[in-house]
Structures are given as structure tokens and as C-alpha cells.
């Protein structure tokens, strides 16, 4: 009992008075700087400290540990898929190569996004989470989403053209056209993502940002534009695929009714069935895209709804007391960032199942 009494007395000496009700929550050597912060709300000191530790836990585990594990898995799988696709690409005829070019581009864009994610982690560890880290994080999220969106739209249109207009697909659609289309997808995705990252990160770091972006004149319109743009892209991919696959199945059904014993017609029908099977397999990727993109849209919408309160974190001078007093907001930010990082990593690790 005497030893326990001494231990309790030692704890009371190290824990500041405001945190005496939560000695287990207090971390010696790190939380002393919050003891002198002036709390102007109804929150207790212990409640704010608890929320602050929760935010730090989300940052360490939700934004770093879990996404890193998933991203390593995604990197291994995508490199494996890329090697397999390159080998198949060399063996296939030109007609099939057109499809594989887009799949290769999809894997390359995912690998580049994963590399950028590691840059974010390095920046975070070397200089805390500052403007460059936030900018790259937003940039890679937009780049990955937009490049995948463009790739799926291109693949859907390419396969539809191969089925409905086979002569045009064989004679007029060349490998060179595919390269140009892929380059345009990457160019547009990079430009749009750079703008999102460059101006979007000013929400949290307006003073260290190289560009000026006020809340009413820039940040809020940009957030609305991002949500609308992502929603339109999401709906376009799924809507286009659904409408085309329905049209193709109806077309195939009519062709079956009209097909004769003519071998040419039979071969055409068989070719159409092959392409439709390819589109059905593409649908599995569409399912992954749909499931993985919904949480990202939800995160963006939640961020838009709470944009004003989140923007207050970037106002004024950064200090331990500001972080401590706004612990609830920091928890929200860390949850949004963690959700975005994890949700982004999961579809990336699914790879391409469309051959």
C-alpha cells in the first residue's frame, strides 16, 4: 500500500492540475504544453486531450500504417499485372493490343500514384504535415481517380466500337490513336489534379501556400467544383458502361435471331460474343471502381458541408494550443484523410482483372 501511495503521489506531481481527472490520458513529456491553454468553450481539458490523442491515433494508424500496408500490396500487385500485361501485349495482334495499351496505362498511373503517396509520407515524417504534403495528397487522389475514370471510359468506347463498327475499329482505329488518347487522359488528369492540389491545400495552409485562395472567392467554389466534377465523372463511367452493355446485349440478341447458316455471319457473331465477354469482364473492374469511389465521394461531400469550420484550422498562427483547442476539428480532418487514404489504397490493390 505504501508503494502504491508513492506511485500515486509521483503521478500527481507529473500531471498538471487541469489533467488530474485523466492521468491515464496524459502523456508526460508531450502534453505539458497544453496545460496553460485557455479553454473558452464548455469542453473540459480532459475531453479535449482525449480528442487530440484520438486525432493523433488516426493520423498514425489510419493515415500511415494501414494505407502503407495496403499500398505496398497494391504496388506488388500492380507491378505484377504490368509485367503480365506487357508480355501479353507483345504476343497479341494489333486488335487486342489496343485494349492492353489502356490496361498498361492504368497500371502505370496507379504505380505513379503509389509512389507519390510514399512522397507524402516522407514529407510528413521530415517536416510534419505541411502544405507540400497536403498538396501532393490531394494531387495524387485526383490524379488516380481521373486517370482511372478516363481509362474506363476509353475502354468502354473502344470495345463498343469494336463490336458495333468492326471495320472502323480494324482499319481506322490504330495503336497511334490509342497512344494519343492515353496521353490526353494523363495530360488532362495531371492538369486538373495539380489545380486541385495547388489551391485545395490552401484550405489548411493559406499562409505557407504559394498561391492566394480566399474562402468565399476560391476555396468554397473549388470544393463545390470538385464534388460536382467527381460526381459527374463517377456517373459518366457507370452510366456509359451500363447503357452500352445493354445496347450490345440487345444487338447480340437480334443478331442471333437473324443469323443464318452463313459461316461469315457465324464468325461475326462469334467475334461479337468475344467482345461482349470482354466487356462483361470489364464490368468487374467497373464494380471495383464503383465500390471504391462511393466513400471518396462521401468524404468530399462531408468536407464540403463542413468546409467553413475546417478552413478555420488554417487561419492564424499554428500553435500547440490551437491544435489542442480545435481537437474535435482535427479528429474530423484525420478521419477524412484516413478514409481517403485507405479507400484509395483498396481499389489500387485490386489490380486489373480485365484481360
Amino acid at each position: 500500500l505504501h508503494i502504491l501511495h508513492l506511485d500515486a503521489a509521483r503521478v500527481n506531481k507529473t500531471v498538471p492540475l487541469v489533467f488530474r481527472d485523466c492521468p491515464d490520458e496524459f502523456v508526460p513529456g508531450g502534453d505539458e504544453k497544453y496545460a496553460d491553454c485557455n479553454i473558452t468553450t464548455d469542453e473540459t481539458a480532459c475531453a479535449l486531450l482525449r480528442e487530440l490523442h484520438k486525432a493523433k491515433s488516426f493520423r498514425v494508424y489510419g493515415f500511415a500504417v494501414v494505407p502503407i500496408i495496403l499500398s505496398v500490396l497494391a504496388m506488388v500487385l500492380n507491378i505484377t499485372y504490368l509485367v503480365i500485361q506487357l508480355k501479353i501485349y507483345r504476343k497479341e495482334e494489333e486488335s487486342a493490343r489496343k485494349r492492353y495499351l489502356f490496361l498498361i496505362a492504368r497500371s502505370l498511373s496507379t504505380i505513379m500514384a503509389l509512389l507519390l503517396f510514399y512522397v507524402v509520407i516522407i514529407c510528413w515524417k521530415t517536416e510534419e504535415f505541411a502544405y507540400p504534403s497536403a498538396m501532393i495528397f490531394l494531387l495524387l487522389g485526383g490524379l488516380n481517380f481521373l486517370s482511372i475514370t478516363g481509362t474506363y471510359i476509353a475502354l468502354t468506347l473502344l470495345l463498343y466500337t469494336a463490336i458495333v463498327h468492326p471495320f472502323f475499329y480494324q482499319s481506322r482505329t490504330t495503336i497511334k490513336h490509342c497512344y494519343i488518347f492515353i496521353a490526353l487522359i494523363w495530360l488532362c488528369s495531371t492538369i486538373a489534379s495539380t489545380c486541385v492540389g495547388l489551391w485545395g491545400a490552401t484550405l489548411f495552409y493559406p499562409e505557407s501556400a504559394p498561391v492566394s485562395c480566399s474562402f468565399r472567392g476560391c476555396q468554397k467554389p473549388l470544393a463545390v467544383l470538385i464534388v460536382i466534377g467527381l460526381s459527374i465523372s463517377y456517373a459518366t463511367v457507370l452510366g456509359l458502361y451500363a447503357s452500352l452493355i445493354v445496347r450490345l446485349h440487345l444487338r447480340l440478341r437480334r443478331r442471333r435471331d437473324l443469323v443464318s447458316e452463313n459461316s461469315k455471319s457465324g464468325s461475326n457473331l462469334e467475334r461479337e460474343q468475344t467482345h461482349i465477354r470482354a466487356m462483361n469482364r470489364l464490368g468487374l473492374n467497373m464494380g471495383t471502381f464503383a465500390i471504391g469511389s462511393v466513400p471518396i465521394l462521401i468524404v468530399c461531400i462531408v468536407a464540403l458541408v463542413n468546409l467553413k469550420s475546417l478552413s478555420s484550422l488554417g487561419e492564424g498562427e499554428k500553435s500547440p494550443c490551437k491544435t489542442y483547442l480545435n481537437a474535435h476539428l482535427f479528429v474530423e480532418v484525420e478521419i477524412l484523410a484516413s478514409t481517403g487514404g485507405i479507400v484509395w489504397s483498396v481499389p489500387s490493390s485490386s489490380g486489373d482483372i480485365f484481360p
Side-chain angles (χ1 to χ4, degrees):
L1 291 175
H2 180 66
I3 294 174
L4 292 176
H5 177 73
L6 290 177
D7 289 341
R10 189 178 298 110
V11 169
N12 288 333
K13 287 182 180 180
T14 57
V15 177
L17 182 62
V18 294
F19 299 130
R20 288 291 171 85
D21 294 335
C22 51
D24 295 335
E25 195 71 38
F26 180 80
V27 179
D31 290 342
E32 288 84 358
K33 56 181 175 288
Y34 306 125
D36 297 328
C37 297
N38 183 25
I39 302 175
T40 58
T41 62
D42 295 334
E43 293 285 349
T44 63
C46 287
L48 290 175
L49 187 64
R50 195 172 295 111
E51 288 297 301
L52 184 63
H53 288 170
K54 186 188 298 183
K56 291 180 178 179
S57 297
F58 272 114
R59 174 174 292 190
V60 172
Y61 296 102
F63 183 67
V65 177
V66 176
I68 285 177
I69 294 174
L70 292 175
S71 65
V72 170
L73 174 63
M75 180 67 78
V76 173
L77 290 177
N78 277 279
I79 291 176
T80 303
Y81 292 139
L82 180 61
V83 172
I84 294 174
Q85 289 161 3
L86 288 173
K87 289 183 178 180
I88 297 176
Y89 175 82
R90 294 172 182 173
K91 296 178 181 179
E92 291 288 345
E93 58 183 16
E94 183 174 344
S95 177
R97 284 186 174 186
K98 299 170 188 176
R99 297 200 305 266
Y100 278 100
L101 271 179
F102 288 96
L103 296 178
I104 291 171
R106 195 270 198 226
S107 295
L108 285 174
S109 64
T110 302
I111 291 172
M112 287 191 296
L114 289 169
L115 292 175
L116 281 175
F117 177 71
Y118 298 139
V119 173
V120 172
I121 299 299
I122 293 172
C123 292
W124 171 42
K125 287 299 183 181
T126 55
E127 57 179 59
E128 292 297 324
F129 204 77
Y131 176 83
S133 307
M135 183 194 70
I136 297 174
F137 182 72
L138 293 174
L139 186 149
L140 72 88
L143 180 64
N144 194 51
F145 182 88
L146 293 176
S147 62
I148 291 176
T149 299
T151 300
Y152 284 156
I153 290 176
L155 275 172
T156 303
L157 293 176
L158 190 71
L159 284 171
Y160 180 79
T161 304
I163 299 171
V164 179
H165 306 289
F167 178 77
F168 181 86
Y169 176 78
Q170 293 286 347
S171 60
R172 303 296 296 275
T173 306
T174 64
I175 294 291
K176 182 179 179 180
H177 293 145
C178 294
Y179 277 118
I180 294 174
F181 205 91
I182 290 171
L184 288 175
I185 291 174
W186 281 8
L187 179 63
C188 295
S189 300
T190 302
I191 293 174
S193 302
T194 301
C195 293
V196 170
L198 196 63
W199 278 277
T202 61
L203 180 68
F204 305 107
Y205 305 97
E207 296 178 358
S208 59
V211 294
S212 176
C213 188
S214 63
F215 177 77
R216 292 187 177 276
C218 176
Q219 292 174 358
K220 188 174 182 179
L222 178 63
V224 173
L225 186 63
I226 290 173
V227 172
I228 293 176
L230 291 180
S231 302
I232 292 176
S233 300
Y234 181 80
T236 300
V237 171
L238 299 183
L240 181 64
Y241 175 80
S243 62
L244 292 184
I245 199 66
V246 169
R247 289 185 61 184
L248 291 176
H249 278 292
L250 292 176
R251 173 187 171 88
L252 184 61
R253 182 177 299 176
R254 289 195 299 267
R255 291 290 297 272
R256 282 173 178 168
D257 295 337
L258 298 175
V259 70
S260 62
E261 297 298 327
N262 187 290
S263 59
K264 183 177 179 181
S265 298
S267 63
N268 288 338
L269 183 61
E270 183 179 354
R271 184 173 61 250
E272 288 188 4
Q273 289 176 329
T274 301
H275 287 306
I276 288 180
R277 283 195 295 269
M279 286 204 72
N280 289 335
R281 290 192 291 269
L282 177 61
L284 298 177
N285 286 76
M286 292 289 187
T288 303
F289 173 81
I291 295 172
S293 299
V294 168
I296 294 178
L297 289 175
I298 294 175
V299 166
C300 292
I301 293 172
V302 171
L304 177 61
V305 172
N306 299 279
L307 193 65
K308 182 59 179 176
S309 58
L310 295 178
S311 66
S312 64
L313 297 178
E315 298 172 355
E317 184 181 354
K318 301 291 187 297
S319 66
C321 282
K322 181 178 181 180
T323 304
Y324 172 70
L325 296 175
N326 292 281
H328 289 289
L329 287 178
F330 276 102
V331 169
E332 187 174 335
V333 170
E334 298 300 341
I335 290 176
L336 292 175
S338 301
T339 303
I342 293 173
V343 169
W344 167 76
S345 300
V346 171
S348 297
S349 63
S350 65
D352 293 304
I353 52 180
F354 164 63

